[in-house]
Amino acid sequence: MSLLAPTLQAFFTDRLARQRQASPRTVVAYRDTFRLLLVFLQERIGQAPSKLAFEDLDAPSILAFLNHLEADRGNSARTRNARLAALRSLFRYAAFRHPEHAALIGRVLAIPQKRFEKPVLAYLTPAEIEALLSTPDRSGWLGRRDHALLLVAIQTGLRVSELIGLSRADVNLGPGAHVRCQGKGRKERITPLTAETTAVLRVWLREQADRPDGPLFPTSTGRRLTRDAVARRIAKHTAAAARRCPSLQGKHLTPHALRHTSAMQLLHAGVDTSVIALWLGHEDIRSTQVYLHADLAIKERALARTALPSTRPGRYRPPDPLLAFLEDL
């Protein structure tokens, strides 16, 4: 019987850290996956995580864990697939260390990703952007911070992890004003700032002069904001803005929706999708094509250039009672 603990520890120290040189964000994501799995198995079979064997991680157990993520934790299919990807990475590594478990490992690796519907992207219109940015009460410190944060998020299209990871030193407000961030795969990129965003950040940085090396958008105690904290601030200001902008009512805005808003602004301005991909830090330009699908204006312009054949309106009438019965099902 092979214990899981030595292989899992070697997976993090040897595979991720030494061989792949995985980014800290990847390590944290994988860590969370295995922490959830070990706690689930401990409750399921009553075995301490350090005593678990590979036989305890067979395909039925992994499937039960994935179902638990969706049914009990409310995770989406995307999150389920991300957790499964982390598990597959471990089992591919284990295949070299434990060939005696080849059959078990093969069955786990055969678990398919779950397909899911891709909803239409949520993004803000110019009127909604104005309503959202005018909501924070800038007479207070928190309101000024939230206004600067929302403005930078909408203008730059940074991911929420990139946004909360910004430090004061990452902002250059001189000629060619820009912010520097480290995105996925530890790739650095520079995003230019508009004159409006530059002016707001200049006032905000002057207010934070006592924290030269601190985060750009700190909490009241000087720490970095978390993803959940940013999501809560956006939800709060969206609910307040909806009272003045009816189109925001019932609209579920996430930090990623602000990133989509930035991309759609660039697209409406006529910026090429290859440039938008560079702006957003997309590895593959195909990731940017989703904004073309979401832009109804582009489709309407294409329709206006198309000559449609003339057809007479009418409804299909089945000629037979049995066909009519089937038609009504």
Side-chain angles (χ1 to χ4, degrees), residues 263-280:
M264 295 303 288
Q265 284 185 305
L266 294 171
L267 188 63
H268 290 158
V271 179
D272 188 80
T273 53
S274 60
V275 178
I276 298 176
L278 290 173
W279 186 286
L280 299 178

Side-chain angles (χ1 to χ4, degrees), residues 20-329:
R20 290 184 53 187
Q21 293 185 333
S23 69
R25 293 192 184 101
T26 299
V27 173
V28 168
Y30 279 36
R31 176 205 66 190
D32 292 344
T33 296
F34 293 111
R35 187 165 54 185
L36 288 170
L37 174 63
L38 294 177
V39 172
F40 171 78
L41 291 175
Q42 183 178 22
E43 295 175 353
R44 178 182 171 91
I45 64 178
Q47 185 74 279
S50 59
K51 302 297 183 183
L52 288 171
F54 262 97
E55 290 81 358
D56 298 320
L57 273 72
D58 55 5
S61 297
I62 299 298
L63 284 170
F65 169 66
L66 296 175
N67 292 334
H68 159 73
L69 293 178
E70 292 186 279
D72 300 329
R73 295 184 58 86
N75 291 164
S76 65
R78 287 179 182 270
T79 302
R80 173 198 184 275
N81 290 343
R83 302 297 188 198
L84 178 57
L87 296 174
R88 283 177 169 177
S89 184
L90 169 68
F91 276 84
R92 282 193 292 267
Y93 175 72
F96 295 98
R97 295 173 59 99
H98 299 287
E100 69 275 13
H101 296 306
L104 181 149
I105 292 172
R107 286 190 291 270
V108 171
L109 293 177
I111 297 175
Q113 295 272 323
K114 191 168 187 177
R115 302 185 68 177
F116 54 88
E117 295 182 359
K118 297 181 179 179
V120 177
L121 294 181
Y123 62 94
L124 297 172
T125 64
E128 292 169 345
I129 294 173
E130 183 178 353
L132 183 63
L133 290 177
S134 62
T135 298
D137 181 9
R138 279 175 273 177
S139 63
W141 184 87
L142 284 177
R144 292 192 293 274
R145 181 203 65 186
D146 289 355
H147 175 260
L149 184 147
L150 292 172
L151 182 60
V152 171
I154 292 172
Q155 193 253 289
T156 63
L158 297 182
R159 300 178 179 92
V160 63
S161 58
E162 298 165 349
L163 194 65
I164 62 179
L166 288 177
S167 298
R168 290 168 48 85
D170 296 324
V171 181
N172 185 335
L173 300 181
H178 63 269
V179 293
R180 182 187 299 271
C181 74
Q182 188 177 73
K184 284 186 175 181
R186 291 178 296 190
K187 292 181 298 183
E188 283 194 356
R189 76 176 187 277
I190 293 175
T191 306
L193 299 173
T194 64
E196 179 189 4
T197 305
T198 301
V200 170
L201 284 179
R202 182 172 286 114
V203 174
W204 174 246
L205 288 175
R206 193 179 304 131
E207 188 172 352
Q208 304 298 311
D210 58 329
R211 300 170 179 172
D213 300 322
L216 180 59
F217 303 114
T219 65
S220 56
T221 59
R223 300 178 180 178
R224 292 191 183 275
L225 287 169
T226 64
R227 294 167 178 260
D228 290 340
V230 174
R232 287 194 297 269
R233 303 307 295 177
I234 292 175
K236 174 185 175 181
H237 295 308
T238 301
R243 292 194 285 269
R244 296 195 305 273
C245 185
S247 62
L248 281 173
Q249 294 178 2
K251 207 166 192 176
H252 178 63
L253 285 186
T254 64
H256 217 65
L258 303 186
R259 177 171 164 86
H260 296 328
T261 299
S262 176
M264 295 303 288
Q265 284 185 305
L266 294 171
L267 188 63
H268 290 158
V271 179
D272 188 80
T273 53
S274 60
V275 178
I276 298 176
L278 290 173
W279 186 286
L280 299 178
H282 283 164
E283 181 76 22
D284 192 333
I285 192 174
R286 287 177 295 182
S287 301
T288 315
Q289 299 299 322
V290 66
Y291 299 109
L292 291 173
H293 293 289
D295 190 0
L296 184 60
I298 290 179
K299 299 174 184 177
E300 290 174 341
R301 289 196 296 269
L303 181 63
R305 299 191 185 103
T306 306
L308 298 177
S310 58
T311 59
R312 297 177 57 187
R315 184 176 181 276
Y316 170 70
R317 302 286 182 182
D320 184 85
L322 182 57
L323 292 178
F325 165 77
L326 296 174
E327 181 71 18
D328 290 336
L329 290 178

